[in-house]
């Protein structure tokens, strides 16, 4: 039994699907109006569907549309903190997809 200090377990990178599911859960639990929630969900679902169909360019476009909507509603229908959280999550997804 040797000492094993310095070894840090590597956690796997969440999949695109996992990250979108997390964003959908965050939106569902945020207390947003039904219309705002539906608009956000539809954009994320479209991105997920495109990714699962192998069309990452379309997924990237849907995620860009999602971020634009979040930015436009930040401080209005979406709190600034939630907008930041959703934008950061979406940025991570876009990096993973290789969006430009």
């Amino acid at each position: 039994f040797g000492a094993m200090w310095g070894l840090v377990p590597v956690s796997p990178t969440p999949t695109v699907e996992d990250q979108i599911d997390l964003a959908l859960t965050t939106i569902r639990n945020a207390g947003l109006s039904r219309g705002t929630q539906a608009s956000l969900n539809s954009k994320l679902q479209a991105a997920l569907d495109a990714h699962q169909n192998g069309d990452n360019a379309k997924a990237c476009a849907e995620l860009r549309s999602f971020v634009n909507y979040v930015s436009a509603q930040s401080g209005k229908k979406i709190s600034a903190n939630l907008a930041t959280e959703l934008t950061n999550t979406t940025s991570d997804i876009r990096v993973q997809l290789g969006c430009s």
Side-chain angles (χ1 to χ4, degrees):
F1 298 100
M4 296 188 62
W5 57 83
L7 297 179
V8 177
V10 177
S11 57
T13 302
T15 65
V16 168
E17 291 85 353
D18 290 341
Q19 292 181 78
I20 290 177
D21 283 344
L22 177 62
L24 289 168
T25 299
T26 299
I27 291 165
R28 184 174 44 252
N29 295 330
L32 300 171
S33 72
R34 185 171 292 186
T36 301
Q37 185 174 341
S39 183
L40 292 169
N41 287 347
S42 68
K43 289 169 179 41
L44 285 178
Q45 189 61 53
L48 179 59
D49 292 345
H51 170 66
Q52 289 177 331
N53 289 326
D55 190 350
N56 283 347
K58 182 173 181 181
C60 290
E62 293 293 346
L63 291 170
R64 190 176 320 111
S65 175
F66 176 83
V67 168
N68 290 342
Y69 181 81
V70 169
S71 295
Q73 296 305 321
S74 179
K76 300 170 190 161
K77 294 182 179 183
I78 301 171
S79 73
N81 287 343
L82 178 59
T84 298
E85 181 179 351
L86 292 172
T87 300
N88 289 342
T89 298
T90 306
S91 178
D92 292 344
I93 297 167
R94 288 177 50 81
V95 167
Q96 193 170 354
L97 290 175
C99 301
S100 57

